[in-house]
């Protein structure tokens, strides 16, 4: 799905030098590169503060902890997404409340959010799916009216833009009270292991998050609150600093690849290409087709026979999962999300996808649907 080795080779000298520097210093945890990365990421995203941590899941857990989500509280999250979002709410002892999503953008549906609001709602997590941010203004409006906060899960959409509370365009991850992101290797900005970060404009909140991520201690061995150990190690920070310098170009390469897919696959009966919503920009973490459900698994097998990987993100809704059956609540009307697990298919896309490799994918998809190549 993702040519991580090709990407590494394209910046090998820079990465090797940056890692070599960490090896010379042996400052593997809380080295100077971590603080520098936090400054650079904050500036790149347009937020006052960035706190790095151990993973995107930890970023969400830190956010939930820092805003005081706990037993008796409810947090509204989309039903069609990665499980970490519900998991971190449940780990705090709070109730995940599953909202429907827009079947065209895959993002949380604000009218469903509105139906789910209760006196116990503490937050909504806007998960920016597959590289395209949510429509934020309706969520800010609901949050203001009902007194809860908006947290962004920006694990898939670092670099995309959306509307802020004032209506101005801003980077995804900078518009909610807290933005969470992941540096898992296959994300738009990925390191060579696990990593994550929390972004916020609120200096006090940033300090609190930093303290919780470091065992709740301040100063050392003085435990003010119950915390965890969640740190981004210095080697990962050094890698990410190199990659951040190339991120703009790599996002442009993803967009160019998405345009090639669009051009080849638009109009092929049985598939619908990703929709570009108004008021946001897309970074194509995934290029996700919607396929006629009776043909989806056949297409996947057809591609696999030709050595082409594709993935189903995600094969079921979170409200249908065993883990959440008895500890969650959900919208009774899931008309947007219901059909997605049976119809989505993500094609290979990354910053270093080869034009020839992509042409093979497109030809195979067209062949499956019985469309002759134009040339
Ligand atoms: C990847 C991802 C996460 C979790 O990130 P990890 O770094 O793997 O813990 C959370 N939310 C979404 C939407 C993701 O895609």
């Amino acid at each position: 799905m993702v040519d991580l080795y090709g990407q590494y080779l394209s910046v090998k000298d820079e990465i090797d030098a940056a890692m070599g520097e960490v090896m010379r210093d042996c400052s593997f945890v809380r080295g100077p590169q971590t603080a520098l990365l936090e400054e650079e990421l904050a500036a790149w995203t347009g937020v006052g503060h960035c706190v790095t941590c151990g993973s995107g899941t930890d970023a969400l857990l830190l956010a939930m902890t820092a805003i005081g989500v706990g037993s008796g509280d409810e947090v509204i999250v989309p039903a069609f997404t990665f499980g970490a979002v519900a998991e971190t709410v449940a780990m705090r002892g709070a109730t995940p409340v599953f909202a429907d999503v827009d079947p065209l953008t895959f993002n949380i549906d604000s009218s469903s959010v509105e139906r789910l609001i209760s006196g116990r709602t503490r937050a909504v997590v806007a998960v920016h799916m597959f590289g395209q941010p949510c429509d934020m203004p309706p969520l800010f409006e609901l949050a203001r009216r009902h007194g809860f906060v908006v947290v962004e899960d920006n694990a898939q959409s670092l670099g995309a833009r959306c509307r802020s509370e004032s209506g101005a365009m801003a980077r995804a991850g900078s518009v909610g009270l807290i933005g969470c992101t992941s540096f898992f290797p296959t994300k738009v900005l990925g390191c060579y292991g696990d990593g994550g970060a929390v972004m916020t404009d609120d200096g006090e909140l940033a300090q609190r998050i930093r303290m919780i991520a470091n065992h709740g201690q301040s100063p050392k061995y003085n435990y003010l609150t119950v915390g965890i150990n969640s740190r981004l190690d210095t080697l990962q920070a050094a890698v990410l600093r190199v990659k951040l310098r190339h991120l703009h170009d790599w996002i442009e390469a993803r967009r160019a690849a998405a345009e090639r897919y669009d051009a080849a696959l638009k109009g092929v009966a049985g598939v619908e290409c990703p929709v570009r919503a108004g008021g946001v920009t897309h970074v194509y973490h995934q290029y996700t087709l919607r396929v006629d459900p009776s043909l989806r698994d056949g297409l996947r097998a057809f591609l696999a026979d030709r050595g082409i990987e594709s993935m189903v993100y995600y094969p079921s809704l979170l409200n249908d999962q065993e883990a959440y059956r008895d500890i969650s609540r959900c919208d009774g009307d899931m008309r947007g999300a219901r059909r997605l697990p049976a119809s989505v298919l993500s094609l290979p896309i990354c910053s270093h996808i080869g034009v020839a490799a992509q042409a093979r994918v497109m030809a195979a998809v067209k062949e499956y649907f019985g469309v002759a190549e134009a040339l």
Side-chain angles (χ1 to χ4, degrees):
M1 289 292 283
V2 176
D3 184 7
L4 289 178
Y5 191 59
Q7 190 194 61
Y8 166 62
L9 289 180
S10 78
V11 289
K12 183 177 184 305
D13 291 348
E14 289 171 82
I15 296 263
D16 292 356
M19 291 183 90
E21 196 183 324
V22 179
M23 300 311 291
R24 266 194 312 278
D25 290 352
C26 288
S27 54
F28 296 121
V29 174
R30 293 173 160 259
Q33 288 85 349
T34 307
L36 290 168
L37 173 69
E38 288 178 346
E39 280 171 31
E40 290 160 4
L41 271 172
W44 199 87
T45 313
V47 288
H49 309 272
C50 169
V51 181
T52 53
C53 61
S55 68
T57 305
D58 279 0
L60 287 163
L61 183 62
L62 288 166
M64 291 301 138
T65 309
I67 61 179
V69 165
S71 173
D73 293 333
E74 293 184 343
V75 176
I76 302 175
V77 303
F80 178 73
T81 191
F82 184 58
V85 188
E87 172 181 270
T88 46
V89 172
M91 288 297 269
R92 292 294 307 157
T95 303
V97 177
F98 295 112
D100 197 11
V101 305
D102 178 335
L104 299 181
T105 63
F106 311 113
N107 279 325
I108 195 164
D109 176 344
S110 56
S111 61
S112 176
V113 172
E114 186 163 20
R115 286 194 289 277
L116 292 166
I117 292 167
S118 78
R120 306 197 300 160
T121 307
R122 288 296 305 274
V124 61
V125 184
V127 184
H128 303 315
M129 290 294 290
F130 301 150
Q132 182 162 251
C134 301
D135 181 19
M136 297 302 287
L139 296 177
F140 288 130
E141 164 61 23
L142 290 172
R144 197 164 42 232
R145 191 140 42 91
H146 296 274
F148 58 83
V149 304
V150 178
V151 172
E152 297 173 80
D153 179 340
N154 197 31
Q156 302 187 356
S157 301
L158 194 73
R161 290 178 197 272
C162 62
R163 292 210 188 280
S164 68
E165 198 157 3
S166 72
M169 292 297 278
R171 279 252 159 83
S174 75
V175 301
L177 177 64
I178 301 177
C180 302
T181 200
S182 163
F183 305 124
F184 187 78
T186 57
K187 304 283 161 131
V188 173
L189 177 62
C191 59
Y192 294 152
D194 276 310
V198 180
M199 322 261 181
T200 183
D201 272 328
D202 183 329
E204 267 175 48
L205 191 56
Q207 226 177 329
R208 188 168 164 73
I209 289 165
R210 199 177 286 285
M211 181 173 74
I212 296 165
N214 188 29
H215 304 289
Q217 54 186 350
S218 176
K220 210 169 184 184
Y221 304 126
N222 185 50
Y223 304 101
L224 290 177
T225 186
V226 178
I228 57 176
N229 169 14
S230 185
R231 299 184 281 237
L232 182 75
D233 68 65
T234 316
L235 276 169
Q236 303 304 345
V239 167
L240 288 167
R241 290 188 69 213
V242 171
K243 289 195 174 194
L244 187 59
R245 296 200 285 269
H246 298 277
L247 191 56
H248 174 82
D249 292 345
W250 289 351
I251 288 171
E252 288 307 316
R254 283 177 178 276
R255 287 179 175 146
E259 273 171 26
R260 289 194 292 272
Y261 275 142
D262 282 349
L265 302 179
K266 261 195 181 135
V268 174
V271 288
E272 282 170 80
C273 296
V275 168
R276 294 188 207 186
V280 295
T281 67
H282 204 318
V283 295
Y284 294 98
H285 170 60
Q286 299 295 344
Y287 186 90
T288 302
L289 299 173
R290 278 170 302 130
V291 182
D292 180 330
S294 66
L295 301 173
R296 197 272 311 270
D297 291 343
L299 171 59
R300 192 164 184 226
F302 187 86
L303 295 175
D305 277 349
R306 281 151 188 76
I308 297 166
E309 245 190 303
S310 62
M311 293 293 282
V312 175
Y313 301 117
Y314 295 90
S316 65
L317 301 183
L318 293 175
N319 53 292
D320 290 332
Q321 297 279 335
E322 173 88 34
Y324 299 106
R325 191 161 302 150
D326 301 326
I327 58 162
S328 67
R329 182 160 89 70
C330 82
D331 193 345
D333 179 0
M334 286 282 180
R335 77 179 72 176
R338 204 178 48 218
R339 279 164 54 93
L340 292 179
S343 58
V344 287
L345 192 68
S346 296
L347 299 180
I349 194 163
C350 66
S351 57
H352 287 70
I353 189 165
V355 171
Q358 212 189 341
R360 276 198 304 281
V361 179
M362 298 183 299
V365 173
K366 284 182 168 181
E367 193 191 339
Y368 179 74
F369 287 103
V371 176
E373 282 286 330
L375 298 174

